[in-house]
Amino acid sequence: MTTATTRAAREFRGSHTAGRSPEELREIVSHWGAELELAPAEVIIEWAAATFGERFCITSSMGDAVLAHLAEKVVPGVDVVFLDTGYHFVETIGTRDAVEATMKVNLISITPVQTVAEQDAEYGPELYKRDPDLCCALRKVKPLADSLSQYDAWATGLRRAETHNRVIAPVIGWDAKKQKVKVSPIARWSDEQVERYIAENGVLVNPLVYDGYPSIGCAPCTRRVAPGDDPRSGRWAGTNKTECGIHS
Ligand code: SF4
């Protein structure tokens, strides 16, 4: 087992200034949450960048580059954090590479402490089949928490239309577990709004989206879904698991 910390830590842009205290961050959430609830996505991102400066990033799972596209318009060079679990589809890695090559963002790929081979050696192969919660904790939750220590706030592409679990996703929220401000600029967007934005702006989309994968995670835990089915029903299909834990 390697003792290295998240390998991509050195890739983080510049030296991040000291962050605000949790009390200060919570105060920002309670002051601005209601104010920005109905604001356009670009305004929300602009506010977050102005408020948190270098201690603000966005995360992307590379299902599409909608959030990155919105962000590069108002915060060129913004940090875009991608969790490279070691289990992604080749199309997802290709989408990440295309974002890095063509967009005005600072793409940061973060990886778990252990490679897949190292994890297999310690826990046995195919941990995702036997204990997906532990696998997600090791390959998603911890690496993200480690990388977010560089930031006071991060933006996600969470949308309330995606699943019932996400109905209450606030535009500006407080993540008590991470002690960070969680910003969801497109929380109110419908599927149609996303599709229109992609078409009108030529936004990069993971090709798997057009091949029956409306929600894309790690390859071993993602299945095609039938047209009209819940878009997230292909994630951890056949189990009770619906979320990897990074949004809880
Ligand atoms: S989605 Fe599957 S393979 Fe990916 S980290 Fe979670 S359990 Fe492991």
Side-chain angles (χ1 to χ4, degrees):
M1 173 180 169
T2 177
T3 55
T5 53
T6 305
R7 294 186 182 84
R10 63 181 176 278
E11 297 178 72
F12 283 93
R13 188 169 57 132
S15 59
H16 288 235
T17 52
R20 293 182 172 95
S21 69
E23 292 70 32
E24 287 175 296
L25 294 175
R26 273 207 307 269
E27 176 62 28
I28 288 172
V29 171
S30 61
H31 181 79
W32 287 98
E35 186 123 350
L36 290 168
E37 173 62 27
L38 299 177
E42 289 92 336
V43 171
I44 295 164
I45 296 169
E46 205 165 19
W47 167 84
T51 304
F52 303 108
E54 279 199 338
R55 292 188 65 83
F56 168 70
C57 68
I58 72 171
T59 54
S60 175
S61 60
M62 298 298 162
D64 61 56
V66 168
L67 190 60
H69 189 273
L70 285 161
E72 74 164 354
K73 286 194 290 186
V74 290
V75 202
V78 66
D79 286 353
V80 175
V81 175
F82 169 70
L83 264 174
D84 186 353
T85 63
Y87 277 123
H88 282 301
F89 291 100
V90 66
E91 289 88 346
T92 301
I93 298 301
T95 304
R96 176 202 63 184
D97 292 347
V99 165
E100 183 170 31
T102 63
M103 298 184 71
K104 296 191 293 280
V105 298
N106 181 41
L107 199 288
I108 300 167
S109 286
I110 58 170
T111 53
V113 171
Q114 292 181 311
T115 64
V116 170
E118 288 165 346
Q119 178 173 294
D120 287 354
E122 182 169 347
Y123 297 93
E126 301 183 332
L127 180 63
Y128 52 82
K129 280 187 183 165
R130 291 173 285 112
D131 192 344
D133 286 343
L134 177 58
C135 188
C136 278
L138 295 168
R139 309 207 72 74
K140 287 186 168 182
V141 179
K142 183 165 190 320
L144 181 65
D146 289 349
S147 69
L148 289 182
S149 66
Q150 308 273 335
Y151 304 99
D152 285 343
W154 88 106
T156 79
L158 273 184
R159 290 186 302 112
R160 294 169 191 166
E162 286 175 316
T163 66
H164 295 306
N165 292 349
R166 298 178 175 197
V167 165
I168 53 168
V171 167
I172 310 291
W174 174 245
D175 188 313
K177 233 186 234 173
K178 297 187 184 69
Q179 300 279 290
K180 309 277 178 201
V181 179
K182 184 175 183 177
V183 183
S184 300
I186 59 171
R188 293 181 296 108
W189 284 26
S190 64
D191 294 348
E192 293 70 31
Q193 272 178 286
V194 173
E195 285 162 19
R196 199 179 324 126
Y197 187 85
I198 288 170
E200 288 175 356
N201 295 282
V203 175
L204 279 165
V205 177
N206 189 320
L208 290 174
V209 169
Y210 303 116
D211 191 23
Y213 295 85
S215 176
I216 304 162
C218 295
C221 302
T222 307
R223 301 273 182 278
R224 272 196 184 85
V225 303
D229 279 0
D230 178 347
R232 283 186 64 85
S233 62
R235 306 288 296 277
W236 303 284
T239 76
N240 291 330
K241 189 172 168 67
T242 57
E243 297 281 348
C244 59
I246 60 176
H247 294 302
S248 57

